[in-house]
Amino acid sequence: MTPTALAELLAAVAAGQLSAADALGRLRDFPSEHLPFATIDHHRALRQGRPEVVFCQSKTAEQVLAICDRLQHAGGGFLATRVSPEQLALLRGQFPDLHWNDPGRVAFLPGTEIREPNGTVAVVSAGTSDLPVSEEAAAVLEALGHVVDRLVDVGVAGLHRLLAESERLHAADVVIVVAGMEGALPSVVGGLLAQPVIAVPTSVGYGASFGGIAALLGMLNSCASGITVVNIDNGFGAAVAASRILRR
Amino acid sequence: MTPTALAELLAAVAAGQLSAADALGRLRDFPSEHLPFATIDHHRALRQGRPEVVFCQSKTAEQVLAICDRLQHAGGGFLATRVSPEQLALLRGQFPDLHWNDPGRVAFLPGTEIREPNGTVAVVSAGTSDLPVSEEAAAVLEALGHVVDRLVDVGVAGLHRLLAESERLHAADVVIVVAGMEGALPSVVGGLLAQPVIAVPTSVGYGASFGGIAALLGMLNSCASGITVVNIDNGFGAAVAASRILRR
Amino acid sequence: MTPTALAELLAAVAAGQLSAADALGRLRDFPSEHLPFATIDHHRALRQGRPEVVFCQSKTAEQVLAICDRLQHAGGGFLATRVSPEQLALLRGQFPDLHWNDPGRVAFLPGTEIREPNGTVAVVSAGTSDLPVSEEAAAVLEALGHVVDRLVDVGVAGLHRLLAESERLHAADVVIVVAGMEGALPSVVGGLLAQPVIAVPTSVGYGASFGGIAALLGMLNSCASGITVVNIDNGFGAAVAASRILRR
Amino acid sequence: MTPTALAELLAAVAAGQLSAADALGRLRDFPSEHLPFATIDHHRALRQGRPEVVFCQSKTAEQVLAICDRLQHAGGGFLATRVSPEQLALLRGQFPDLHWNDPGRVAFLPGTEIREPNGTVAVVSAGTSDLPVSEEAAAVLEALGHVVDRLVDVGVAGLHRLLAESERLHAADVVIVVAGMEGALPSVVGGLLAQPVIAVPTSVGYGASFGGIAALLGMLNSCASGITVVNIDNGFGAAVAASRILRR
Amino acid sequence: MTPTALAELLAAVAAGQLSAADALGRLRDFPSEHLPFATIDHHRALRQGRPEVVFCQSKTAEQVLAICDRLQHAGGGFLATRVSPEQLALLRGQFPDLHWNDPGRVAFLPGTEIREPNGTVAVVSAGTSDLPVSEEAAAVLEALGHVVDRLVDVGVAGLHRLLAESERLHAADVVIVVAGMEGALPSVVGGLLAQPVIAVPTSVGYGASFGGIAALLGMLNSCASGITVVNIDNGFGAAVAASRILRR
Amino acid sequence: MTPTALAELLAAVAAGQLSAADALGRLRDFPSEHLPFATIDHHRALRQGRPEVVFCQSKTAEQVLAICDRLQHAGGGFLATRVSPEQLALLRGQFPDLHWNDPGRVAFLPGTEIREPNGTVAVVSAGTSDLPVSEEAAAVLEALGHVVDRLVDVGVAGLHRLLAESERLHAADVVIVVAGMEGALPSVVGGLLAQPVIAVPTSVGYGASFGGIAALLGMLNSCASGITVVNIDNGFGAAVAASRILRR
Amino acid sequence: MTPTALAELLAAVAAGQLSAADALGRLRDFPSEHLPFATIDHHRALRQGRPEVVFCQSKTAEQVLAICDRLQHAGGGFLATRVSPEQLALLRGQFPDLHWNDPGRVAFLPGTEIREPNGTVAVVSAGTSDLPVSEEAAAVLEALGHVVDRLVDVGVAGLHRLLAESERLHAADVVIVVAGMEGALPSVVGGLLAQPVIAVPTSVGYGASFGGIAALLGMLNSCASGITVVNIDNGFGAAVAASRILRR
Amino acid sequence: MTPTALAELLAAVAAGQLSAADALGRLRDFPSEHLPFATIDHHRALRQGRPEVVFCQSKTAEQVLAICDRLQHAGGGFLATRVSPEQLALLRGQFPDLHWNDPGRVAFLPGTEIREPNGTVAVVSAGTSDLPVSEEAAAVLEALGHVVDRLVDVGVAGLHRLLAESERLHAADVVIVVAGMEGALPSVVGGLLAQPVIAVPTSVGYGASFGGIAALLGMLNSCASGITVVNIDNGFGAAVAASRILRR
């Protein structure tokens, strides 16, 4: 239930077009809807200004479809992350207008309420292999109504590649930095800029990168102050954190 | 060198009161000043809009004093964290007007340039034992010119204590949540609010808390989306991250 | 050998229908039966009031079938967990009346001795992805003769979903809480309730969840006192722990 | 606020001896009382049937005294764990009737409401060095109104010491098993008994015991089913878990 | 080169049947033979009284065949562990008389020198799932000329199964104990017996067993003194350690 | 852009054959070339005297082909590591003259500028299973213009195999030692020699080798002083480190 | 109770000098003696042929004295390890004839039954800093009646120091190898010898030695087969393991 | 024994001034000298061209003095690292000419053989707190006869401080980079330079720096190729590695 839908409902009551009892019934149904395997939080859009997001990993394709279906019926559209090919096929069958970001594995169906674009987020990635994570962030940001500026493959081993783009970096409202291996890029970016910097470690690497632990620790211990960090490979979380900043 | 000082210097050049060569000399000297054991980054205030911060842990008291002295001479005042009693004594001897936050171990000497207070940050702590970290954050925020609203000891085992303060939480521009043990508080706060939420794990706990690892992992894996995390016990980093958001 | 079977045997001896020597022979055979790859503990039902449970993971389908066959011949029925599709096929061929819980992968064949249902256990799960573990717990509880009340997908990021069910929670004799990611749900539940709360971390999550370690550490360090914890994904163990409480 | 106190308050209102407004005032004050460094949960006794417990580690002696003082004024007495010598001295000065368990470092002041002893808990420890933890459990159990039966130094390397006490073990309602090093004792006890078994790993050991990790992992992976585990050295948590079982 | 072969060679020199130069040539060739991908240590049989053992994991089938072929030509037969089905097929094609232990994945071709059986080793395993490891140990022991007594599935959760076999345990010269999960069995066995006890942790388990770490730590921290430990799943190493004891 | 190409360009400007503006244009284009998924650092050859290396793991075959194509057009040839069979097929289709090291999975296309061979590197490996890593090092060294001397399968369990090759070891300019399991070989080699020794831990092993951690820690803690270490399985990194030494 | 004492007791019964009932009484008292903080296993000498050993770490000096006193009264003398200066002072006051090994912190009081020396154990240590551990092993071996040959500071970085002592190594019945840092020495020794080799990792080292983990992992992954390992710094355990081998 | 001393000895034999037997005696004594707690490797100077180095941590002051005394008598002087104040006092009493580097805790007494200075090593440190490690490296380099150029406090959060010194960096033969926290500095330096770069992680930091693990992992996973790494805080090892490069 979007804020607009709620306002309209209340206005209908005020105008005598809807009885209080009926309004209550609609409101009672919505906040949490029970499926046998899920309790859908329709209340989140009211509470946090963005749709419930469906994390598809370790759900069956049928479960994903059912949840998205309920969300779509409630009018808010849906945003789904970590979508597998099998899940995608089912969703596309049901929702022909689905938006799809392939490297980021993000599916998006806009709701009825369109918001003005708001704020620019620079999504900076250290290497080609980090693209699945940086594109997850970019796709979620676009679905949430923000402008994305992508800087690709500008890791610290060739510093001039990054320094050459400093104007674009300074122009962003928020900067998301995505890096695997030693995860040093956020330290350099954070030292150059005054804006909020959100660091995303990726599982890119081998040996002692331990599936992203090296990058995660590097970012948590950054000598550039005021860098914040999200979970390994969590492009989605970084995008929502940026949106929290831009929508306040 | 503060932005104001720089503007004045350039104005003096424009007015013919200062030769370009002399201006260059002053600028060249400042950006990095070399002590035998430190290279002071006077350029940071220009670049990032806040003073160089002195992290005192594992420096000698004499090193701390010398660095603060140079920063003070450059006009920006200083902000020092993790100050030991011995370091504090030396600083107080030299700077009688020093501000001091005792549980947070933060010393602050304001510079010549005062900024308008800007933005309110709620600093929420889960337990009494988290105070050294939450006060480090609060003291740094106040030094950087922000208003702090403290919510103390409102951990998730007694949820009504937190829910009773939801108005104060909703009124904040940014929320910093400080918690040790299992670090669950940011998940609950992040689920209730739409604003930016910065989580600080603390080393409070014993046994399998592993000096804060349990809380850190809890926060990184939060089911509330868009929570960002800083290093264990890093109240300072959370404060700077909040300031990056408020000053953009 | 169930307690009833033992009582009948002893009564037959007392009544002169069975010689002491024959009785001894039967008893001697039973407690531990030797297969080439297993030593079956028929004595456990006597000692602990519940059947030997067959943990099927890393056994061959033939080994599982042989063990279940021996248990069935001994009269106690059997309970098998972590049953693979191949093992299930073999068991169903031999035992057409087999009960099967699909998401929980639990197979159950009731023994000759039926006990009265005893006690209600609320099985609370944080997310849809935790179902395989929560259903393992539920299926084992039902096999052991307890009533199960399921609360699905009520994680802490949408607290109202949980609080809306507080009556059902208060009505349970024991509460099992199943959660992955940061594992915060048991802390909230444990703070609300006075009953025994058993926490089950799951391997649901990614990145720094480390296959359930984050949830496990969160639960071990819970700020809600008196929560106990079982191994990652160990729905079976939680169910037996609840049964130990209810059957004492 | 104890249940009895609440009943009396409500009766006074019903009898016209207290106005509703005054009753509300008293109730509003109580549930959470704010000290500058703590938010005391007076509501817990109502909610969970046992007093708020003060965990003294990493609190100052003055903080501990102030919190205990407020709890005592609210009528419920108090229970304090991990009490340091300095904290003890301050508490004894203020509360001459304080009960003290020395190896367990637990201080206890009974409240006005005395409950009948209920249930017997066997507290089994593997070695002499585990006493601080097993006595913490025992002292908390006694404060919560349960009978304790202590079995000391009966580790698995001399199995006959344990088997010789099997009658006492079978007579207990709940068994708490405290062990460091490899933590094998709960597996043996859990295999012998049908009752609830709560395992407490201790930090006793050296080298690859890693401060209790070896024992913790041993207990989480116990081949005896239905064992539950609490945090390393958490005798307090085990006692509360046993009390949850006995008081339901 | 076996000791017997060396003695014959030296006797031939002494008898004038072989020139010193020729003897030298033969000896020089043997100790280390160079293949493009391996340096075969023919000297080991002389030095340590047992054949070079071929660890087949992460070698190609062709590499395994070539190495075994060279060892066989040198007269000592060969012993190969962790043999994959593909490697087995190739070896069987070349060596029709190959001995094969299926659960243990061990292939063995006896050399020309047969030694008298020497010493009995009890191989004790905690569960059915530990068989691949316990059978690797058993097969290697038999190849090295020792007698094996197998005790299967006698874990500590059903202690009577182990105690019933104490005579067989006391009769062994060395005892190898194989266990996964919490790895408690060697502590119990080590407390009962005075003989050498070699503990082998296995990767059997799930969740917090961490692929055998829990069992490994349990065994290293055993409260039964004088237990020694080998690597996780290293049945081969335990067998060789037992042989070092029996052959000294 | 190779140093020679740069010199020719500058000479053309000096000779009036090329305008400064055109030269600048060419130079500006080259240092970093933007593909949609990569930013190619053509400047590296100038800066570090060796070609940009393409790390193929977690890139698509199409991405690898496109990057190699751009590098080849820029005149420097290319060097690609961790090449998968699918990537190899695509590269071979496009570049028939491609050099290929099969165990090391390294593809190499020489550039137009050939350098004199310089320096000998001994590549020493502890076991047959370490070949993929030692051959990665060897292939990269050969591509960078160094002579390689291979010592295969000379681990410390048969020390005479290593000692027999001491002359070859003493003749090398730099020694790369590749070992898995306990990683002891660099300590022995480092104690024998005065030259630079670069240790490469491999993921060869099982159980408590933890994918190379045991070898990595062994090498970092070597009692032979002055050994340096690269990441697990990082034969490429060791080769480049050796080349840095030889080309200085 | 020593075997001799038991034989004498039984002989006295047989000779009619002691009634069966009295004998039973003495036997019943002995096997486990209960102190308030310890259950002493007097039965161990009978069962395992060596005295109960008192591990003094984390016991109070009074507890150690009381336990040793009871053991001494039972006739078997005592052996105490990890004895602190305070514990030593108390023991020496009570037992003037106490034997003391200072670097190993081992106290020993011989019992009434003296056994013939049996077997030689070479105790090999890699560095001077390993002496506390190697001397703990040596002192325990001497107390248990074995001959010790010490080889000090013969680490692998100077291999000739070890090879120069190969005769002494070959002459030993069992070899204990004590090493910190990378723990490579047992691999080299194990490759040279055919006897049992017991490896003891020590916590000597810094940085990534992680308190002995590097050495422990090195030894568990030794490429020399048949090496067994005990806990970090566990010289005592290695000595008992050697004694199990020599006394069988 | 230095190479010069050896040459003189052999010349004396050749000239008939020393009998072969006497020469042998002197040589036999020297290579390894046995103290009760150490075996001194006098042979190292011959083998590796630098003196035996005394690692003083976890040795007693008396042991350090005795070892240094023997080395001094053998003519090579000595170099001691991690010297404690107590050890220093003893050494200074015996050797008044001792050189001492205070932050690096390195003591040095030159031998009779002076070598020409050879090669320049840039020692770059990220922060003031890294000085103990960078000075250990610098002091050892100077003792081994190399020129040191120190760059202090030039971490990546203020990149201009480093870039301003690029001429000094390019002028060095070898670069040692010392950094704690996230350890990103070697990646930036390694990307700028073509020379050998040796990275030293330090234990500087807190929380998730885990005593240097974060920096160590960062350096092992550096995206700048050909960086090598030594143990945490191992300034000594880095210096010797640089010397191996410069002396070849």
Side-chain angles (χ1 to χ4, degrees), chain D residues 3-18:
Chain D
T4 308
L6 178 62
E8 285 170 5
L9 186 108
L10 294 176
V13 174
Q17 296 161 345
L18 186 74

Side-chain angles (χ1 to χ4, degrees), chain A residues 155-159 163 180-184 187-188 190-192 205-210 213-214 217-225, chain H residues 155-159 163 180-184 187-188 190-192 205-210 213-214 217-225:
Chain A
V156 300
L159 212 53
L163 298 179
M181 304 179 81
E182 85 273 57
S187 292
V188 171
L192 293 173
Y206 60 93
S209 81
F210 299 133
I213 294 180
L217 294 184
M219 292 169 180
L220 286 169
N221 289 285
S222 175
C223 56
S225 52
Chain H
V156 301
L159 213 54
L163 299 178
M181 303 179 82
E182 85 273 56
S187 292
V188 171
L192 293 174
Y206 60 92
S209 80
F210 300 132
I213 295 181
L217 294 183
M219 292 170 180
L220 286 168
N221 288 286
S222 174
C223 57
S225 52

Side-chain angles (χ1 to χ4, degrees), chain B residues 103-180:
Chain B
R105 288 167 299 153
V106 173
F108 173 53
L109 195 71
T112 50
E113 190 159 358
I114 304 298
R115 294 195 293 181
E116 281 303 290
N118 153 285
T120 296
V121 180
V123 177
V124 185
S125 62
T128 300
S129 311
D130 299 314
L131 273 182
V133 179
S134 61
E135 281 303 305
E136 185 183 73
V140 170
L141 284 165
E142 289 167 346
L144 296 176
H146 307 292
V147 179
V148 175
D149 185 23
R150 291 160 166 90
L151 288 83
V152 177
D153 194 18
V154 292
V156 301
L159 213 53
H160 60 293
R161 296 179 300 187
L162 179 73
L163 298 178
E165 308 289 0
S166 66
E167 267 177 60
R168 288 165 66 191
L169 288 169
H170 279 99
D173 293 296
V174 177
V175 181
I176 291 175
V177 186
V178 180

